[in-house]
Amino acid sequence: MKKSIQGKVFVLGDDVDTDQIIPAQYLSYNPAIPEERKMFGVYALCGVPDAQSGLPKGNIPFVPKGDKTSPYTIIVGGKNFGCGSSREHAPISLQAAGIEAVIAEFYARIFFRNSVNGGYLIPFETPKRLCEKISTGDELKIDLEKNEFANLTTGKTYPLTPLGDIVPIIEAGDVFKYAKQSGMLDN
Amino acid sequence: MAMTLTENILARAAKRNEVVPGENIWIDVDVLMTHDVCGPGTIGIFKDKFGEDAKVWDKEKVVIIPDHYIYTADQKAHRNIDILREFVKEQDLPHYYDVGTDRYKGVCHIALAEEGHTRPGEILFGTDSHTCTAGAFGQFATGIGNTDAGFIMGTGKLWVKVPPTMRFVFDGELPPYLMAKDLILRIIGDIGVGGATYRAMEFAGDGVYSLNMEERMTLCNMVIEGGGKNGVIEPDQVTLDFVKSKTDKPFEVIRAQEGAQYYMEKVYKSKDLEPVVAKPHSPDNKANVSEVKGTNVDRAYIGSCTGGKITDFIAAAKILKGNQVKTQTFVMPATTEVARNLKIEKLDGKTLEQIFLDSGATIGPSSCGACLGGPLDTLGRLNGDEICISTTNRNFPGRMGSKSSAVYLASPYTVAASALTGKITDPRDFI
C-alpha cells in the first residue's frame, strides 16, 4: 500500500449515484477489453449536473473536452457516494480517468465493495463533512500512515476514519490476492 | 444471541451456529445471476483470474439472463450478448435465457422468480443492484460488482459483512388505493437514500402478508434505494405456494429466532397512509400525491423490475380502462411471460393489451427498457427535458436518459391516473 497520495482534488456533493459517475448509455463498452476500458475514463462523471460539477463554483468538467483522462487525482464528496446501481464500471471509470482515492462522509455499499475488491481506488471516510470546506483544484496530500490529509493550498489538515477491515484487501491489491494470502484460494 | 431472519440465513450459508452484525464471514452461494451489461466484464475477470480453461464452480448455480440492452442498434450491446452466448456454450450452462429464442425472458429479477431460481433460505448474488428483489422469497439476495461475481464463478464463495436489521411493520391490510410502491417510497422518504446503508431491511405485519408475491417483490426491490444491503420477508403459505409452483428443487425455510435483536423497528398503520411520489431528483424526495397533484407531466412510463409485473399492469388497466391517455404513455412488460399475460388477463371482458391500446398507450418489448436510460435509441428514453411519471425505481439526475429530464416515481395506480390527465393525479379520483 502506498504511504501517501497527492494531487488535485475534484469536489462533489451528496448522493453522487452511479448514473452520474458513468451514464448507462456507455455501459455497452466492455471493461475486460483494454481499449474499451479507456473509454470509461473519457466519460467519467459526465452525468453530474453542470452546476454540481466541481464545487463550490460548479460548471467544471472532470475530464476536459477532447482529453482521455482527468487532471484530478482525488475526489471529495458528501454523503452516500456511489449510490445506485451495482455497475463496477463506476469505480473503473474513476480509476481510468486517473483517480486514486475518494474521500466522502460515507459510501453506498456496492460501490465501496467494488472499489476495494477490484483494487481500483481507496474509499476513505471522514468523521466530518468536508465537501463545503475544500475547493476543486486545491492540492491535497493523503497520509495513509497517519489517517489524515492536508490541503496544501490552504494549509489545513483533516482526519480520516481508519480504513479498518478493508486494509488487508487494499494491502494485498484486490480480493483475489487477499484470498490467496489468507488461504481461501489456491495460488 | 438470537438471530434475525437475515442473520440466520447467513449463519447457515457460513456453516456456523451463530453470526453477529458487523462481523465479516465467508458464505457459500446458491445462485449467481448475471446479465448482458455486467456479464462480459465478469467473464473477463473470471478468465483472467482462474485461467482461460477454468470451469465455473457449479454450472447448475449460474443463471445468465440478458435483459438490459436488447432492442437497440448499438453493435457493442449485441457483441456483449454474443460474449454471453459463447461463454454459456463453452461452459455448458443450462440456465441461459437467450435473446431471439423462445427462452428469452427479459428483466432478470422477474425472470429469476418466474423460472424458479428464487427459493427461501438461499443465498443469491447478482450483478445488478435490484437483485435484492428476491428477498421477498425469504432468502438473502443482494447486488455485487463484476469482481465479486468473477470470484463467485470460480469459488462459489464470497465474504460479506453481516448487516444489522431494520424492521418495518405495516399494521392492517392496505386500503384499495395503495400499492407496495407507496409503502416503500414512504419508507425511503422517511429514512433517506442512505438511511439503510450496510443494513438489512425486513418487512412484516399483516399489511405485508396481505400482499401477493409480486407486490412483496416491489417492496424488497427498492431497499437498495434506501442504501439497504438486502430486503427480506419471512416466508408464509403464499411464498411456499408460489415457489413450489415454479420449481421442484428442495429448499429450507429459515426464520428469525425468538427474541432476535433489531437495529430499529418502525410500525406504520396502513390505513393512515396516502399515495406518494418521489419528486425529482432522488428516491427519498417524498411527497404525498395530494401535495403535488396538478403538476404537469409529459410522459407516463409503466415498466421495469419494480413496476412492470402483471400485478402492476392489472392495477394500471383498472384506471385506464375505457379512458384516453392525455400524455405519451409507455407500457413495458418486464418479461415475455408478463407480455403473454397482457393478452390473457381480462378486465370486464377486455384483455389488458386491448385496454392499453384502446387508451392510446404504446406497448413495448420486454427488457429493462428506458428505466435506466440506456442506448440513445431505447424506446421511451427521455432524450430531452421531458417530465416523466414512472413506476420505475430510481430518479437521480439523468437516470432515464438526458440530464435535463426529470422523473417522478409513483405506483402504477398513480402513474395511470396521471397519464389520463397529463398532470400528477391522485388515483383515488378514479378508484
Side-chain angles (χ1 to χ4, degrees), chain A residues 15 17 19-20 24-25 27-33 36 46-50 80 83-89 106-107 109-110 112-114 117-118 120 165 169 174-176 179 184-185, chain B residues 24 26 37 40-41 44-45 49-50 69 74 76 79-80 83 127-129 142-148 151 155 157-159 161 193 197-198 229 372 374 376 381 394 396-397 399 403:
Chain A
D15 304 321
D17 80 303
D19 281 296
Q20 295 179 60
Q25 72 202 74
L27 299 184
S28 56
Y29 289 112
N30 179 356
I33 300 170
E36 292 190 19
C46 76
V48 176
D50 297 345
N80 203 26
C83 59
S85 92
S86 68
R87 65 189 71 158
E88 195 153 308
H89 315 67
F106 69 92
Y107 295 85
R109 185 190 68 84
I110 309 177
F112 186 82
R113 270 189 83 96
N114 288 346
N117 282 354
Y120 304 113
D165 294 348
I169 304 175
D174 63 36
V175 73
F176 289 93
M184 280 298 302
L185 265 185
Chain B
N24 292 314
W26 286 94
V37 163
I45 288 172
K49 302 297 182 184
F50 295 97
Y69 302 163
D74 183 336
K76 287 192 300 304
R79 183 274 319 267
N80 289 344
I83 292 173
T127 59
D128 191 289
S129 61
T142 194
I144 52 172
N146 300 349
T147 297
D148 283 347
F151 191 96
T155 65
K157 292 177 188 299
L158 194 63
W159 73 269
K161 190 191 262 293
V193 284
T197 301
Y198 264 93
K229 181 174 203 154
L372 75 162
L376 301 179
R381 189 180 190 277
R394 212 168 268 158
F396 292 114
R399 168 66 178 179
K403 278 201 276 191

XYZ file of all heavy atoms in Angstrom, chain A residues 15 17 19-20 24-25 27-33 36 46-50 80 83-89 106-107 109-110 112-114 117-118 120 165 169 174-176 179 184-185, chain B residues 24 26 37 40-41 44-45 49-50 69 74 76 79-80 83 127-129 142-148 151 155 157-159 161 193 197-198 229 372 374 376 381 394 396-397 399 403:
729
model
N -24.932 12.097 -2.554
C -25.693 11.151 -3.385
C -25.264 11.166 -4.854
O -26.104 11.165 -5.760
C -27.209 11.442 -3.296
C -27.719 11.421 -1.869
O -27.263 10.560 -1.097
O -28.584 12.266 -1.540
N -24.659 9.383 -7.696
C -25.004 7.983 -7.977
C -24.235 7.473 -9.190
O -23.579 8.241 -9.903
C -26.523 7.834 -8.146
C -26.990 8.253 -9.510
O -26.729 9.413 -9.899
O -27.610 7.437 -10.214
N -25.177 6.464 -12.016
C -25.592 7.004 -13.318
C -24.896 8.336 -13.605
O -24.673 8.683 -14.756
C -27.108 7.213 -13.368
C -27.848 5.915 -13.620
O -27.672 5.341 -14.698
O -28.589 5.471 -12.727
N -24.568 9.068 -12.549
C -23.816 10.313 -12.743
C -22.336 10.001 -12.985
O -21.662 10.701 -13.726
C -23.965 11.219 -11.514
C -25.396 11.707 -11.307
C -25.512 12.580 -10.072
O -24.865 13.619 -9.954
N -26.343 12.159 -9.128
N -25.620 5.235 -18.221
C -25.904 3.892 -18.731
C -25.634 3.742 -20.227
O -25.330 2.646 -20.699
C -27.349 3.522 -18.420
N -25.716 4.836 -20.988
C -25.531 4.697 -22.437
C -24.123 4.234 -22.807
O -23.894 3.765 -23.909
C -25.861 6.016 -23.149
C -24.847 7.104 -22.951
C -25.442 8.479 -23.196
O -26.205 9.008 -22.407
N -25.101 9.054 -24.327
N -22.452 1.896 -21.046
C -22.170 0.600 -20.429
C -22.028 -0.535 -21.437
O -21.739 -1.666 -21.050
C -23.261 0.236 -19.411
C -23.426 1.194 -18.234
C -24.476 0.658 -17.269
C -22.109 1.429 -17.511
N -22.220 -0.245 -22.717
C -22.007 -1.327 -23.681
C -20.514 -1.519 -23.981
O -20.120 -2.516 -24.556
C -22.818 -1.122 -24.965
O -22.517 0.112 -25.540
N -19.671 -0.561 -23.567
C -18.227 -0.831 -23.609
C -17.939 -1.949 -22.616
O -18.541 -2.001 -21.536
C -17.413 0.409 -23.211
C -17.442 1.513 -24.231
C -18.081 2.721 -23.965
C -16.812 1.355 -25.458
C -18.110 3.741 -24.905
C -16.834 2.371 -26.401
C -17.485 3.560 -26.123
O -17.504 4.565 -27.048
N -17.012 -2.836 -22.964
C -16.677 -3.976 -22.096
C -15.376 -3.686 -21.344
O -14.322 -3.566 -21.964
C -16.540 -5.240 -22.960
C -16.179 -6.463 -22.141
O -15.957 -6.390 -20.936
N -16.130 -7.610 -22.814
N -15.452 -3.563 -20.008
C -14.241 -3.220 -19.249
C -13.141 -4.280 -19.336
O -11.993 -4.010 -18.988
C -14.743 -3.084 -17.800
C -16.061 -3.762 -17.755
C -16.629 -3.706 -19.139
N -13.489 -5.496 -19.812
C -12.476 -6.550 -19.941
C -11.606 -6.348 -21.188
O -10.605 -7.031 -21.370
C -13.156 -7.922 -19.975
N -12.000 -5.399 -22.062
C -11.214 -5.117 -23.279
C -10.455 -3.801 -23.054
O -11.077 -2.747 -22.891
C -12.147 -5.022 -24.516
C -12.891 -6.352 -24.705
C -11.360 -4.644 -25.764
C -13.994 -6.306 -25.734
N -11.469 -0.535 -24.775
C -12.804 -0.054 -24.386
C -12.798 0.459 -22.945
O -13.525 1.398 -22.609
C -13.843 -1.179 -24.561
C -14.055 -1.525 -26.023
C -15.231 -2.461 -26.270
O -16.110 -2.592 -25.417
O -15.243 -3.078 -27.361
N -19.508 12.369 -16.363
C -20.171 13.270 -17.326
C -21.675 13.369 -17.043
O -22.349 14.221 -17.605
C -19.899 12.840 -18.761
S -20.826 11.406 -19.303
N -22.185 12.510 -16.158
C -23.613 12.587 -15.826
C -23.926 13.527 -14.670
O -25.093 13.702 -14.306
N -22.896 14.132 -14.074
C -23.149 15.054 -12.955
C -23.758 16.347 -13.519
O -23.242 16.897 -14.497
C -21.823 15.379 -12.212
C -22.052 16.413 -11.116
C -21.212 14.106 -11.639
N -24.857 16.823 -12.931
C -25.422 18.095 -13.409
C -24.359 19.195 -13.388
O -23.559 19.263 -12.446
C -26.548 18.381 -12.406
C -26.919 17.036 -11.855
C -25.640 16.242 -11.838
N -24.347 20.030 -14.434
C -23.267 21.020 -14.590
C -23.048 21.861 -13.335
O -21.911 22.114 -12.950
C -23.563 21.935 -15.783
C -23.595 21.143 -17.092
O -23.113 19.985 -17.093
O -24.116 21.678 -18.095
N -23.145 9.278 1.009
C -23.725 8.241 0.143
C -23.102 8.231 -1.249
O -23.804 8.081 -2.249
C -25.244 8.484 0.056
C -26.028 7.251 -0.302
O -25.594 6.132 -0.039
N -27.179 7.451 -0.910
N -23.992 5.748 -4.795
C -25.252 5.025 -4.617
C -25.833 4.647 -5.981
O -25.373 5.111 -7.024
C -26.245 5.850 -3.811
S -26.652 7.443 -4.532
N -26.847 3.782 -5.953
C -27.492 3.386 -7.201
C -27.111 1.995 -7.622
O -27.170 1.064 -6.822
N -26.673 1.857 -8.846
C -26.533 0.528 -9.441
C -25.269 -0.177 -8.967
O -24.425 0.404 -8.294
C -26.552 0.623 -10.969
O -25.249 0.750 -11.470
N -25.149 -1.463 -9.359
C -24.003 -2.267 -8.927
C -22.863 -2.198 -9.927
O -21.865 -2.869 -9.763
C -24.444 -3.723 -8.762
O -24.762 -4.265 -10.027
N -23.010 -1.385 -10.961
C -22.041 -1.389 -12.060
C -20.624 -1.103 -11.566
O -20.332 -0.051 -11.021
C -22.469 -0.391 -13.150
C -22.466 1.046 -12.734
C -23.107 1.961 -13.781
N -24.547 1.778 -13.850
C -25.392 2.686 -14.324
N -24.943 3.833 -14.796
N -26.691 2.454 -14.347
N -19.754 -2.064 -11.812
C -18.350 -1.892 -11.449
C -17.688 -0.881 -12.379
O -16.590 -0.383 -12.122
C -17.642 -3.250 -11.504
C -16.304 -3.267 -10.820
C -15.938 -4.650 -10.309
O -16.764 -5.255 -9.597
O -14.846 -5.130 -10.634
N -18.393 -0.596 -13.490
C -17.898 0.421 -14.423
C -17.702 1.766 -13.706
O -16.946 2.600 -14.179
C -18.896 0.622 -15.567
C -19.445 -0.648 -16.153
N -20.274 -1.501 -15.461
C -19.290 -1.213 -17.371
C -20.610 -2.526 -16.235
N -20.019 -2.385 -17.391
N -19.738 8.979 3.709
C -19.908 7.533 3.665
C -20.297 7.120 2.253
O -20.661 7.963 1.436
C -20.912 7.014 4.713
C -22.351 7.393 4.478
C -23.196 6.567 3.758
C -22.866 8.580 5.001
C -24.525 6.907 3.555
C -24.191 8.931 4.800
C -25.028 8.089 4.077
N -20.192 5.807 1.998
C -20.388 5.272 0.653
C -21.598 4.358 0.588
O -21.959 3.706 1.580
C -19.168 4.431 0.229
C -17.931 5.266 0.117
C -17.154 5.527 1.234
C -17.566 5.828 -1.095
C -16.033 6.327 1.150
C -16.448 6.627 -1.188
C -15.692 6.876 -0.062
O -14.586 7.685 -0.155
N -22.924 0.819 -0.354
C -22.220 -0.427 -0.074
C -21.571 -1.049 -1.310
O -20.423 -1.484 -1.264
C -23.229 -1.422 0.524
C -22.650 -2.722 0.980
C -23.759 -3.700 1.327
N -24.498 -4.110 0.154
C -24.123 -5.082 -0.660
N -23.044 -5.746 -0.411
N -24.848 -5.390 -1.717
N -22.295 -1.129 -2.425
C -21.758 -1.878 -3.573
C -20.572 -1.129 -4.187
O -19.563 -1.730 -4.541
C -22.844 -2.181 -4.631
C -24.082 -2.822 -3.987
C -22.281 -3.123 -5.704
C -25.240 -3.081 -4.954
N -18.545 0.794 -2.644
C -17.436 0.624 -1.688
C -16.754 -0.726 -1.898
O -15.539 -0.813 -2.039
C -18.012 0.737 -0.267
C -16.982 0.731 0.828
C -16.299 1.883 1.164
C -16.716 -0.438 1.533
C -15.357 1.872 2.189
C -15.775 -0.451 2.554
C -15.096 0.707 2.886
N -17.562 -1.781 -1.954
C -17.023 -3.137 -2.163
C -16.277 -3.232 -3.486
O -15.187 -3.793 -3.560
C -18.174 -4.148 -2.224
C -18.579 -4.750 -0.940
C -19.566 -5.893 -1.199
N -18.885 -7.126 -1.526
C -18.597 -8.081 -0.649
N -18.953 -7.951 0.606
N -17.985 -9.167 -1.024
N -16.914 -2.704 -4.548
C -16.289 -2.789 -5.868
C -14.936 -2.074 -5.895
O -13.973 -2.578 -6.469
C -17.204 -2.178 -6.938
C -18.411 -3.047 -7.240
O -18.459 -4.222 -6.866
N -19.405 -2.475 -7.895
N -12.584 -4.417 -3.526
C -12.341 -5.779 -4.013
C -11.672 -5.787 -5.382
O -10.895 -6.678 -5.700
C -13.645 -6.580 -4.058
C -14.059 -7.067 -2.669
O -13.319 -6.902 -1.717
N -15.225 -7.655 -2.563
N -11.984 -4.787 -6.215
C -11.355 -4.698 -7.525
C -10.015 -3.973 -7.478
O -9.277 -3.965 -8.464
N -9.467 -0.713 -7.342
C -9.452 0.421 -8.283
C -9.023 1.723 -7.623
O -8.323 2.540 -8.198
C -10.827 0.611 -8.919
C -11.322 -0.634 -9.607
C -12.422 -1.326 -9.120
C -10.671 -1.133 -10.734
C -12.875 -2.482 -9.748
C -11.107 -2.285 -11.358
C -12.208 -2.953 -10.860
O -12.641 -4.100 -11.464
N -11.410 -2.870 8.538
C -11.482 -4.227 7.972
C -10.882 -4.385 6.581
O -10.463 -5.468 6.202
C -12.956 -4.649 7.814
C -13.644 -4.794 9.139
O -12.941 -4.797 10.153
O -14.890 -4.922 9.136
N -7.214 -6.184 2.359
C -7.525 -6.324 0.931
C -6.795 -5.238 0.137
O -6.213 -5.509 -0.919
C -9.054 -6.249 0.673
C -9.777 -7.321 1.509
C -9.367 -6.413 -0.813
C -11.282 -7.257 1.423
N -6.142 -6.665 -4.298
C -7.556 -6.881 -4.623
C -8.045 -8.126 -3.882
O -7.269 -8.774 -3.163
C -7.804 -6.994 -6.139
C -7.098 -8.184 -6.779
O -7.003 -9.248 -6.135
O -6.635 -8.064 -7.931
N -9.308 -8.480 -4.054
C -9.888 -9.577 -3.267
C -9.287 -10.934 -3.648
O -9.191 -11.830 -2.813
C -11.435 -9.583 -3.375
C -11.901 -10.072 -4.735
C -12.057 -10.435 -2.264
N -8.840 -11.071 -4.895
C -8.233 -12.336 -5.314
C -6.887 -12.533 -4.613
O -6.595 -13.614 -4.101
C -8.048 -12.369 -6.839
C -9.357 -12.486 -7.569
C -10.027 -11.357 -8.006
C -9.928 -13.725 -7.800
C -11.237 -11.459 -8.660
C -11.140 -13.841 -8.461
C -11.795 -12.708 -8.897
N -7.502 -13.241 -0.997
C -7.979 -14.608 -0.758
C -6.840 -15.619 -0.866
O -6.817 -16.614 -0.141
C -9.095 -14.946 -1.744
N -7.829 -18.745 1.258
C -9.151 -19.062 0.712
C -9.055 -19.568 -0.735
O -9.933 -20.249 -1.225
C -10.045 -17.817 0.715
C -10.662 -17.480 2.032
S -11.749 -18.790 2.630
C -12.922 -18.916 1.278
N -8.001 -19.138 -1.420
C -7.801 -19.528 -2.817
C -6.424 -20.146 -2.966
O -5.468 -19.671 -2.347
C -7.838 -18.287 -3.725
C -9.115 -17.873 -4.411
C -8.828 -16.693 -5.326
C -9.746 -18.997 -5.189
N -17.265 -10.075 9.557
C -17.060 -10.497 8.168
C -16.988 -12.013 8.113
O -16.252 -12.621 8.877
C -15.764 -9.902 7.624
C -15.859 -8.405 7.475
O -16.844 -7.888 6.958
N -14.865 -7.698 7.966
N -17.258 -15.688 5.414
C -17.295 -16.264 4.066
C -18.537 -17.137 3.976
O -18.802 -17.938 4.880
C -16.052 -17.121 3.814
C -14.810 -16.301 3.604
C -13.904 -15.956 4.551
C -14.346 -15.739 2.369
N -12.891 -15.207 3.989
C -13.133 -15.063 2.649
C -14.834 -15.734 1.045
C -12.400 -14.397 1.670
C -14.094 -15.068 0.070
C -12.906 -14.408 0.383
N -25.092 -6.501 -19.324
C -24.276 -5.321 -19.048
C -23.066 -5.676 -18.184
O -21.968 -5.173 -18.415
C -25.127 -4.195 -18.403
C -24.245 -3.152 -17.727
C -25.976 -3.502 -19.470
N -20.210 -9.662 -19.438
C -18.925 -9.683 -20.158
C -17.746 -9.289 -19.268
O -16.687 -9.925 -19.319
C -19.145 -8.676 -21.296
C -20.613 -8.757 -21.563
C -21.240 -8.913 -20.200
N -17.915 -8.282 -18.419
C -16.849 -7.886 -17.502
C -16.569 -8.974 -16.476
O -15.409 -9.232 -16.120
N -14.723 -11.742 -18.112
C -13.337 -11.297 -18.309
C -12.508 -11.488 -17.040
O -11.376 -11.993 -17.092
N -13.070 -11.115 -15.898
C -12.347 -11.250 -14.622
C -12.181 -12.724 -14.274
O -11.103 -13.168 -13.869
C -13.074 -10.466 -13.506
C -12.877 -8.969 -13.747
C -12.569 -10.877 -12.117
C -13.666 -8.051 -12.857
N -8.509 -14.379 -13.829
C -8.047 -14.838 -12.508
C -7.960 -16.364 -12.390
O -7.154 -16.876 -11.618
C -8.981 -14.316 -11.407
C -9.096 -12.807 -11.363
C -7.758 -12.149 -11.042
C -7.928 -10.627 -10.963
N -6.646 -9.944 -10.739
N -8.829 -17.085 -13.103
C -8.857 -18.545 -12.936
C -8.324 -19.292 -14.166
O -8.236 -20.513 -14.152
C -10.275 -19.025 -12.601
C -10.768 -18.527 -11.269
C -11.581 -17.399 -11.189
C -10.395 -19.165 -10.090
C -12.016 -16.920 -9.963
C -10.834 -18.698 -8.861
C -11.645 -17.570 -8.800
N -29.784 -4.262 -22.689
C -29.715 -3.586 -23.995
C -30.012 -4.596 -25.093
O -29.105 -5.148 -25.708
C -28.330 -2.961 -24.190
C -27.952 -1.959 -23.125
C -26.643 -1.557 -22.947
C -28.921 -1.389 -22.296
C -26.289 -0.629 -21.979
C -28.584 -0.468 -21.323
C -27.269 -0.102 -21.162
O -26.923 0.809 -20.202
N -27.189 -0.556 -31.095
C -25.817 -0.476 -30.559
C -25.110 -1.826 -30.777
O -25.451 -2.826 -30.149
C -25.903 -0.129 -29.061
C -24.527 0.060 -28.406
O -23.530 -0.502 -28.923
O -24.458 0.752 -27.378
N -22.155 -2.809 -29.992
C -21.404 -3.333 -28.837
C -22.358 -4.091 -27.901
O -21.971 -5.074 -27.280
C -20.686 -2.208 -28.097
C -19.473 -1.672 -28.861
C -18.601 -0.784 -28.015
C -19.339 0.436 -27.487
N -19.969 1.268 -28.540
N -22.732 -7.386 -29.406
C -21.470 -8.101 -29.192
C -21.429 -8.682 -27.767
O -20.963 -9.802 -27.544
C -20.306 -7.116 -29.428
C -18.890 -7.675 -29.319
C -18.321 -7.679 -27.909
N -18.583 -6.515 -27.101
C -17.773 -5.461 -27.012
N -16.665 -5.403 -27.682
N -18.079 -4.444 -26.210
N -21.937 -7.906 -26.792
C -21.920 -8.374 -25.397
C -22.797 -9.615 -25.217
O -22.456 -10.512 -24.439
C -22.380 -7.253 -24.457
C -21.337 -6.151 -24.354
O -20.182 -6.349 -24.735
N -21.740 -4.998 -23.855
N -20.909 -12.520 -26.365
C -19.931 -12.971 -25.358
C -20.618 -13.914 -24.358
O -20.083 -14.969 -24.014
C -19.286 -11.765 -24.630
C -18.399 -10.968 -25.606
C -18.468 -12.218 -23.410
C -17.857 -9.662 -25.036
N -25.267 -9.495 -10.437
C -24.526 -8.286 -10.817
C -25.483 -7.162 -11.173
O -25.372 -6.539 -12.235
C -23.612 -8.549 -12.023
O -24.448 -8.980 -13.103
C -22.553 -9.580 -11.727
N -26.429 -6.930 -10.298
C -27.410 -5.879 -10.523
C -27.935 -5.461 -9.157
O -28.256 -6.321 -8.331
C -28.549 -6.395 -11.395
C -29.441 -5.265 -11.865
O -30.186 -4.704 -11.031
O -29.381 -4.917 -13.056
N -28.013 -4.161 -8.944
C -28.362 -3.682 -7.597
C -29.752 -4.132 -7.167
O -30.024 -4.244 -5.977
C -28.256 -2.160 -7.535
O -29.147 -1.563 -8.436
N -28.592 -10.035 -2.853
C -28.057 -8.684 -2.966
C -27.221 -8.521 -4.232
O -26.812 -9.510 -4.853
C -27.227 -8.307 -1.715
O -26.991 -6.890 -1.713
C -25.883 -9.018 -1.689
N -26.983 -7.263 -4.593
C -26.230 -6.926 -5.800
C -24.745 -6.842 -5.528
O -24.324 -6.448 -4.439
N -23.951 -7.217 -6.515
C -22.494 -7.167 -6.421
C -21.929 -6.683 -7.746
O -22.644 -6.625 -8.748
C -21.891 -8.559 -6.099
C -22.416 -9.615 -7.095
C -22.186 -8.977 -4.660
C -21.735 -10.969 -6.993
N -20.637 -6.399 -7.768
C -19.966 -5.988 -8.999
C -19.336 -7.165 -9.719
O -19.487 -8.322 -9.320
N -18.603 -6.844 -10.800
C -18.003 -7.887 -11.639
C -16.924 -8.684 -10.904
O -16.792 -9.890 -11.109
C -17.337 -7.257 -12.875
C -18.318 -6.484 -13.722
O -19.525 -6.564 -13.536
N -17.796 -5.702 -14.661
N -16.127 -7.992 -10.080
C -15.039 -8.676 -9.391
C -15.584 -9.735 -8.438
O -15.138 -10.884 -8.446
C -14.175 -7.655 -8.615
O -13.588 -6.769 -9.568
C -13.079 -8.334 -7.814
N -16.567 -9.329 -7.618
C -17.174 -10.290 -6.691
C -17.833 -11.436 -7.462
O -17.752 -12.597 -7.060
C -18.231 -9.597 -5.817
C -17.585 -8.771 -4.694
O -16.382 -8.927 -4.455
O -18.310 -7.981 -4.060
N -15.258 -13.765 -8.733
C -14.759 -14.557 -7.598
C -15.716 -15.721 -7.315
O -15.288 -16.870 -7.145
C -14.627 -13.654 -6.363
C -13.874 -14.292 -5.228
C -12.517 -14.048 -5.053
C -14.507 -15.141 -4.335
C -11.811 -14.639 -4.008
C -13.809 -15.737 -3.294
C -12.462 -15.486 -3.125
N -15.242 -19.838 -7.299
C -15.122 -20.451 -5.964
C -16.454 -20.854 -5.334
O -16.471 -21.666 -4.410
C -14.461 -19.456 -4.977
O -15.341 -18.336 -4.809
C -13.109 -18.969 -5.477
N -17.996 -18.921 -3.430
C -17.996 -18.274 -2.107
C -17.813 -16.768 -2.233
O -17.321 -16.290 -3.245
C -16.825 -18.805 -1.265
C -16.946 -20.252 -0.856
C -15.704 -20.684 -0.086
C -15.708 -22.180 0.160
N -16.837 -22.653 0.944
N -18.178 -16.048 -1.188
C -17.898 -14.615 -1.119
C -17.848 -14.198 0.344
O -18.529 -14.796 1.181
C -18.990 -13.806 -1.838
C -18.633 -12.337 -2.125
C -17.440 -12.228 -3.067
C -19.805 -11.576 -2.695
N -17.037 -13.166 0.640
C -17.062 -12.632 2.015
C -18.126 -11.548 2.101
O -18.308 -10.769 1.163
C -15.689 -12.102 2.466
C -15.234 -10.804 1.849
C -14.499 -10.655 0.709
C -15.484 -9.464 2.329
N -14.282 -9.326 0.443
C -14.874 -8.576 1.420
C -16.172 -8.941 3.430
C -14.919 -7.192 1.576
C -16.225 -7.558 3.593
C -15.596 -6.694 2.673
N -20.135 -8.797 5.071
C -20.252 -8.258 6.432
C -21.698 -8.476 6.865
O -22.619 -8.117 6.116
C -19.900 -6.770 6.420
C -19.748 -6.152 7.807
C -19.675 -4.628 7.701
C -18.279 -4.069 7.728
N -17.531 -4.216 8.968
N -32.039 8.229 1.292
C -31.414 7.298 0.342
C -30.169 6.605 0.903
O -29.702 5.628 0.343
C -31.063 7.953 -1.018
C -32.292 8.142 -1.866
C -30.304 9.251 -0.834
N -27.924 2.133 4.775
C -26.624 1.708 4.241
C -25.994 0.627 5.116
O -25.904 0.786 6.329
C -25.681 2.922 4.131
O -26.316 3.874 3.274
C -24.330 2.532 3.525
N -25.588 -0.459 4.466
C -24.965 -1.609 5.135
C -25.900 -2.322 6.110
O -25.452 -3.046 6.984
C -23.637 -1.217 5.811
C -22.457 -1.512 4.923
C -21.936 -0.554 4.064
C -21.886 -2.784 4.904
C -20.877 -0.846 3.218
C -20.828 -3.086 4.063
C -20.328 -2.114 3.226
O -19.292 -2.408 2.401
N -28.679 -3.329 2.177
C -27.904 -4.420 1.597
C -28.848 -5.475 1.033
O -28.642 -5.992 -0.055
C -27.040 -5.033 2.692
C -26.153 -6.164 2.241
C -25.260 -6.575 3.406
C -24.012 -7.258 2.934
N -22.923 -7.105 3.900
N -33.365 2.738 -17.088
C -32.019 3.266 -16.827
C -31.491 4.034 -18.038
O -30.288 4.132 -18.228
C -31.046 2.138 -16.450
C -30.520 1.216 -17.542
C -29.292 0.489 -17.057
C -31.568 0.264 -18.038
N -30.225 3.987 -20.936
C -29.676 3.019 -21.890
C -29.249 3.675 -23.184
O -29.131 4.909 -23.275
N -29.101 5.385 -26.829
C -29.928 6.536 -27.216
C -31.202 6.130 -27.948
O -32.187 6.867 -27.925
C -29.107 7.493 -28.096
C -27.835 8.059 -27.438
C -27.089 8.962 -28.416
C -28.177 8.838 -26.167
N -36.943 6.257 -23.830
C -35.854 7.005 -23.182
C -36.176 8.502 -23.184
O -36.724 9.031 -24.159
C -34.546 6.743 -23.939
C -33.294 7.289 -23.259
C -32.063 6.957 -24.120
N -30.814 7.237 -23.441
C -30.228 8.433 -23.384
N -30.784 9.474 -23.976
N -29.085 8.586 -22.737
N -35.724 4.542 -9.708
C -34.639 5.489 -9.406
C -34.853 6.754 -10.212
O -35.229 6.673 -11.381
C -33.321 4.825 -9.806
C -32.133 5.202 -8.983
C -30.964 4.275 -9.277
N -30.909 3.135 -8.381
C -30.281 1.996 -8.643
N -29.670 1.821 -9.795
N -30.264 1.024 -7.756
N -32.488 9.688 -9.880
C -31.353 10.611 -9.783
C -31.186 11.310 -11.144
O -31.709 10.831 -12.156
C -30.083 9.852 -9.415
C -30.091 9.284 -8.017
C -30.095 7.913 -7.801
C -30.091 10.125 -6.914
C -30.092 7.388 -6.511
C -30.095 9.609 -5.622
C -30.096 8.246 -5.424
N -30.433 12.431 -11.200
C -30.327 13.163 -12.471
C -29.898 12.256 -13.632
O -28.941 11.493 -13.502
C -29.234 14.199 -12.178
C -29.276 14.397 -10.697
C -29.662 13.055 -10.117
N -31.199 9.593 -14.866
C -31.427 8.146 -14.749
C -32.130 7.567 -15.981
O -31.787 6.498 -16.466
C -32.264 7.862 -13.494
C -32.830 6.446 -13.402
C -31.734 5.395 -13.257
N -32.314 4.062 -13.123
C -31.608 2.944 -13.001
N -30.296 3.000 -13.022
N -32.174 1.791 -12.869
N -29.777 14.482 -18.853
C -29.571 15.164 -17.568
C -30.618 16.252 -17.333
O -30.843 16.674 -16.213
C -28.195 15.848 -17.550
C -27.050 14.941 -17.216
C -25.848 15.740 -16.715
C -24.988 16.298 -17.820
N -23.705 16.840 -17.327
